[in-house]
Amino acid sequence: MTAPIIEFENVVKRYGDHTVLDHLSFSVQPGEKVTIIGPSGSGKSTVLRILMTLEPIDEGVIRVDGEPLWHEEVDGELKPASEAHLRKMREKLGMVFQNFNLFPHMTVKRNLTEAPRTVLGLPKAEANERADELLEMVGLETQAEKYPAQLSGGQQQRVGIARALAMRPQIMLFDEPTSALDPELVGDVLNVIRHLAEEHDLTMLLVTHEMRFARQISDRVLFFDAGRICEEGPPEAIFGEPKEERTREFLKAVLDSEE
C-alpha cells in the first residue's frame, strides 16, 4: 500500500472544557474518496477546518502528503509550524464550504483567478484559461461576469467548487456542500462532485448528510460519534450491514427522515 496522503495520529481538539476530537487516528490514501458521517457535534467539520489550518490542534500530529501539517521538523524534533510552513501546506488542499464563502465584490471569473494569480503567481492569461475551463466543467461558462449575489445558491456553490479546483489541489475537502441549498438545487451540486469523483484521481474528504450520495461515491465511510470513529468500512458495509448499534441508530434516524 502507498503512503497515506492524510494521516491523523492521536489528534485532540478542545474548545475550553469540551473535547471535540478525542485522540482521533485515521488515514486516507492518495485518490481515495472518503465520506465522514455522524450526528451534529461529532467533530466532522472540525476535521476539515483543522486540515485547512483554520483551527489548530491541541495534541497529536497530522501529516499531509508525508509532511507534518501543524508542525515542522527541526533537528529531528517536531516544533510548532511557522506561518510560512502553513501557507505552503495549504496549497495542497482545496475546501468547499457550507456557505459558499465567495468574494461578493468580485465577478465569478475573478473569484476563480484571484488566488492562482496572487498565491501561485500564475500569469493573467493562464489564470483566465484555467477559470474558463473550470466554469465550463461546472456548467457556468455563461455566468463569468456576474457577481455572486446575481446567482442562485446552487450556482454559487458550483463556483465555490471551481474556485477550489483553480488552485490545482491534491486534496479536496467538502464541508456539507449542500446543507445551505434549497432542495431543488442540491442535485446540480452533487452531480458536479460526482463527476469529480468519477473522472479525476483527486483525494476527496467529504462531510455530508446526503446518505444516498455518500453511498454512491465513497470508497470508504467513517462514522463519527463524540469525536471518535465509531465504525468505518466500505459504503456497502456501513449502510447495508453496520456492526455497531450506534451506527444503526444514526442511520435509521437519518434514512427514515429522508423517506
Side-chain angles (χ1 to χ4, degrees):
M1 188 177 277
T2 55
I5 193 166
I6 299 170
E7 196 168 10
F8 276 56
E9 296 176 13
N10 287 312
V11 172
V12 175
K13 173 64 183 174
R14 301 184 190 92
Y15 294 111
D17 294 335
H18 179 51
T19 299
V20 185
L21 300 180
D22 186 5
H23 296 91
L24 178 67
S25 296
F26 75 96
S27 61
V28 178
Q29 292 296 311
E32 194 178 15
K33 319 301 186 234
V34 175
T35 302
I36 303 175
I37 63 171
S40 296
S42 59
K44 308 183 300 292
S45 293
T46 304
V47 166
L48 303 191
R49 293 181 61 79
I50 285 170
L51 280 168
M52 279 306 291
T53 71
L54 299 171
E55 301 275 359
I57 59 176
D58 294 300
E59 295 176 32
V61 177
I62 298 169
R63 286 184 171 80
V64 172
D65 196 25
E67 285 191 81
L69 177 63
W70 280 100
H71 299 84
E72 287 179 88
E73 286 194 30
V74 181
D75 298 329
E77 287 189 38
L78 289 180
K79 306 284 188 185
S82 64
E83 184 54 41
H85 176 78
L86 292 175
R87 265 201 309 274
K88 181 188 77 165
M89 296 300 286
R90 266 180 220 128
E91 292 179 15
K92 300 173 187 283
L93 301 120
M95 183 153 170
V96 179
F97 296 86
Q98 294 179 30
N99 295 310
F100 323 138
N101 283 27
L102 301 176
F103 298 118
H105 60 290
M106 294 183 185
T107 64
V108 164
K109 189 164 185 175
R110 194 166 161 214
N111 262 281
L112 268 66
T113 59
E114 186 72 7
R117 291 190 65 195
T118 58
V119 178
L120 302 182
L122 229 58
K124 183 177 180 181
E126 192 176 338
N128 282 335
E129 185 181 343
R130 186 179 290 189
D132 290 341
E133 288 172 4
L134 288 166
L135 287 174
E136 185 175 354
M137 189 196 86
V138 299
L140 292 173
E141 61 271 30
T142 61
Q143 311 296 318
E145 299 309 317
K146 289 189 176 176
Y147 288 87
Q150 296 173 286
L151 304 180
S152 71
Q155 289 173 322
Q156 288 186 60
Q157 192 57 295
R158 283 186 279 156
V159 173
I161 294 170
R163 183 179 66 173
L165 289 168
M167 294 293 284
R168 297 277 165 89
Q170 294 170 260
I171 301 162
M172 279 287 283
L173 309 173
F174 296 89
D175 184 16
E176 296 276 15
T178 59
S179 65
L181 302 179
D182 292 332
E184 68 268 23
L185 302 175
V186 167
D188 287 343
V189 172
L190 293 183
N191 283 338
V192 169
I193 300 172
R194 186 180 285 111
H195 170 80
L196 273 181
E198 291 171 354
E199 302 296 327
H200 300 266
D201 70 352
L202 274 169
T203 304
M204 291 169 58
L205 194 54
L206 177 78
V207 170
T208 186
H209 62 281
E210 301 279 351
M211 296 299 140
R212 289 183 175 83
F213 181 68
R215 188 170 190 163
Q216 291 167 359
I217 74 154
S218 308
D219 296 315
R220 188 158 50 104
V221 176
L222 311 180
F223 172 62
F224 271 46
D225 191 40
R228 291 186 170 200
I229 296 171
C230 184
E231 186 169 356
E232 66 175 294
E236 301 75 29
I238 297 295
F239 292 106
E241 296 180 47
K243 294 185 175 71
E244 299 294 328
E245 179 60 30
R246 183 69 187 93
T247 316
R248 289 195 291 270
E249 284 173 9
F250 172 77
L251 288 173
K252 184 176 189 313
V254 173
L255 295 172
D256 283 354
S257 73
E258 287 185 5
E259 295 297 340

